[in-house]
Amino acid sequence: MIEVAAAIIENEQGQILIARRRMGKSQAGLWEFPGGKIEMGETPEACLVRELREEMGIEIEPYAWFGVNEYDYGTARIKLIAYLAKKLSGTIRLVDHDAYLWVHRSELSEYEWAQADIRFVEMLLGNNKL
């Protein structure tokens, strides 16, 4: 099982950062909460700081555990660990994604999500179905 961390980053306007996976990547064209694979000996929080720095050029601070979701894509089984986080600094530049948006919680259901992230969208919307 691959352990992956995801950051749910909310800005001062109450919007959440979402990112679309670029073509050529698995789950291309689907939206996700940014993050990445946890390396050996790394905590999910440290992974998020590293991944957001590498893949988006921003500094973040994970501040609260949000949830865990396990999902089997058939070719890979992942354990997605989500944390609430805040953006500290930096201007977003994309490496692994082809688009990003800041959206209000109520708008989350308007996007096509990677399957492993759907559970967190449901939790943010306060329901069990997208």
Side-chain angles (χ1 to χ4, degrees):
M1 182 173 304
I2 301 167
E3 289 193 337
V4 180
I8 299 170
I9 303 167
E10 193 169 1
N11 67 16
E12 299 80 26
Q13 293 76 40
Q15 298 168 305
I16 296 170
L17 179 64
I18 65 173
R20 188 175 62 199
R21 295 183 61 82
R22 68 175 165 81
M23 293 312 205
K25 302 286 285 181
S26 64
Q27 308 293 309
L30 300 179
W31 292 87
E32 67 180 359
F33 299 106
K37 291 180 188 172
I38 300 170
E39 295 180 353
M40 182 77 71
E42 188 176 46
T43 66
E45 299 96 325
C47 170
L48 289 172
V49 169
R50 176 183 55 76
E51 287 282 353
L52 273 286
R53 183 181 298 135
E54 291 173 359
E55 294 184 1
M56 295 188 128
I58 60 173
E59 298 296 324
I60 67 159
E61 179 185 342
Y63 64 85
W65 180 85
F66 186 73
V68 174
N69 187 36
E70 291 184 14
Y71 191 82
D72 188 344
Y73 281 104
T75 55
R77 184 176 171 93
I78 71 162
K79 179 178 185 179
L80 187 59
I81 306 165
Y83 278 80
L84 298 175
K86 61 182 174 182
K87 179 178 174 260
L88 300 176
S89 64
T91 301
I92 294 174
R93 59 170 173 70
L94 300 176
V95 175
D96 269 0
H97 300 93
D98 63 9
Y100 75 91
L101 294 169
W102 290 97
V103 300
H104 291 284
R105 281 179 196 236
S106 61
E107 300 170 315
L108 291 171
S109 62
E110 298 173 17
Y111 299 90
E112 188 176 354
W113 289 88
Q115 288 295 312
D117 290 75
I118 289 175
R119 177 68 188 125
F120 302 132
V121 172
E122 292 170 344
M123 291 168 66
L124 289 163
L125 292 172
N127 60 39
N128 292 323
K129 293 186 180 175
L130 184 59

